[in-house]
């Protein structure tokens, strides 16, 4: 049985096209690339005679077998172990919003559906909604119809999708996941103009979610 994971690659912005090309060679066709910046302090950069490093962050989905093949290529072709080249890591995906989205995200990757998640004791989930530009309001309206809180919109350059230029990130309680995912699929899914695909990742530790914690009943007190 195959595990599906969300793969995140962080590298120098100028090297990002080489990484995307490698992934496409490995039949990983759908990815999103956004930009970031390194966090080295300016004093260190000045001492080394370097400018602040501009980073690219590449997001895509991989099966465990595909990750093993890509990892070898990252090490042997991209020399990712050389300091300054970049890093790549995977996070297990707990669920995908619908069969069409699953087929889209795993195109040309051998994947068999197994259990929904290997992390069953997590309290929260991170919903990742990949959509066309300009539909974050529609997505959030759908999510809030099932009592989701706020979200974060990340603009990115897409490959494998015609106009997939943004991601919406929403942290939710695990018990609310199915209802919220269904609302987004129904109101802003692949059949809509937003053409959203949605997946969820288990959140193993959080900070800053006190408002969500305060909504829960205290132990031993019935509602």
């Amino acid at each position: 049985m195959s595990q599906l994971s969300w793969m995140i690659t962080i590298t120098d912005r100028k090297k990002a096209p080489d990484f995307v090309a490698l992934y496409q060679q490995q039949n990983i066709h759908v990815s999103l690339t956004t930009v970031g910046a390194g966090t080295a302090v300016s004093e260190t950069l000045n001492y080394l005679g370097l400018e602040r490093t501009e980073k690219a962050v590449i997001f895509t989905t991989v099966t465990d077998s595909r990750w093993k093949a890509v990892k070898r290529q990252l090490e042997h072709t991209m020399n990712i172990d050389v300091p300054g080249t970049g890093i790549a890591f995977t996070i297990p995906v707990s669920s995908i919003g619908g069969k069409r989205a699953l087929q889209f995200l795993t195109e040309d990757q051998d994947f068999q559906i197994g259990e929904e998640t290997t992390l069953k004791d997590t309290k929260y989930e991170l919903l990742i909604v990949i959509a066309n530009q300009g539909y974050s309001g529609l997505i959030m309206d759908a999510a809030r119809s099932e009592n989701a809180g706020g979200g974060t919109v990340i603009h990115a350059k897409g490959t494998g999708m015609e106009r997939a230029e943004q991601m919406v990130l929403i942290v939710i309680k695990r018990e609310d996941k199915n209802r919220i995912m269904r609302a987004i699929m129904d109101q802003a899914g692949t059949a809509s103009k937003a053409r959203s695909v949605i997946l969820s990742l288990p959140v193993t530790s959080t900070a800053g979610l006190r408002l969500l914690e305060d909504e829960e009943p205290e132990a031993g007190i019935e509602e």
Side-chain angles (χ1 to χ4, degrees):
M1 202 66 66
S2 184
Q3 171 68 49
L4 192 65
S5 297
W6 189 239
M7 181 174 72
I8 301 174
T9 307
I10 303 173
T11 186
D12 185 274
R13 197 177 301 181
K14 295 179 180 178
K15 297 176 182 177
D18 296 331
F19 281 84
V20 172
L22 172 65
Y23 297 156
Q24 291 178 332
Q25 291 172 7
Q26 293 292 320
N27 291 325
I28 302 172
H29 298 298
V30 179
S31 66
L32 287 168
T33 304
T34 188
V35 297
T39 57
V41 296
S42 58
E43 291 84 357
T44 302
L45 294 173
N46 290 336
Y47 177 78
L48 296 174
L50 301 174
E51 297 178 355
R52 179 173 296 275
T53 305
E54 294 182 334
K55 299 293 185 181
V57 185
I58 306 168
F59 303 91
T60 190
T61 49
V62 292
T63 61
D64 49 3
S65 59
R66 194 57 52 89
W67 163 245
K68 292 176 182 177
V70 168
K71 186 173 183 289
R72 288 193 296 269
Q73 291 299 315
L74 288 172
E75 292 170 346
H76 298 147
T77 302
M78 303 300 296
N79 297 316
I80 198 168
D81 291 328
V82 175
T85 302
I87 61 171
F89 55 93
T90 59
I91 303 170
V93 173
S94 59
S95 57
I96 297 286
K99 185 176 180 180
R100 291 178 61 185
L102 175 63
Q103 292 173 338
F104 174 74
L105 291 171
T106 60
E107 180 184 1
D108 292 331
Q109 299 189 55
D110 185 20
F111 179 71
Q112 296 179 353
I113 298 176
E115 292 189 36
E116 189 173 75
T117 179
T118 57
L119 300 176
K120 297 185 179 298
D121 295 327
T122 58
K123 195 171 186 178
Y124 296 100
E125 297 267 342
L126 172 65
L127 296 188
I128 300 178
V129 187
I130 305 170
N132 287 340
Q133 178 73 24
Y135 292 95
S136 58
L138 179 64
I139 293 164
M140 287 308 305
D141 286 345
R144 290 192 181 103
S145 71
E146 292 295 343
N147 298 318
T152 299
V153 179
I154 298 176
H155 297 279
K157 179 181 179 181
T159 62
M161 302 176 74
E162 291 182 3
R163 293 188 60 221
E165 298 171 346
Q166 67 180 16
M167 289 189 296
V168 182
L169 310 181
I170 313 170
V171 177
I172 61 171
K173 295 179 183 177
R174 187 164 70 90
E175 60 265 28
D176 296 334
K177 179 185 69 175
N178 289 340
R179 292 185 294 100
I180 294 172
M181 289 183 73
R182 172 55 59 186
I184 295 173
M185 290 162 57
D186 289 345
Q187 300 177 45
T190 55
S192 72
K193 292 182 178 180
R195 297 186 62 82
S196 301
V197 294
I198 180 172
L199 55 97
S200 67
L201 305 176
V203 174
T204 56
S205 181
T206 64
L209 294 178
R210 183 174 178 180
L211 290 178
L212 286 179
E213 298 282 357
D214 290 344
E215 292 176 359
E216 299 178 356
E218 296 182 5
I221 299 178
E222 296 183 358
E223 290 184 302

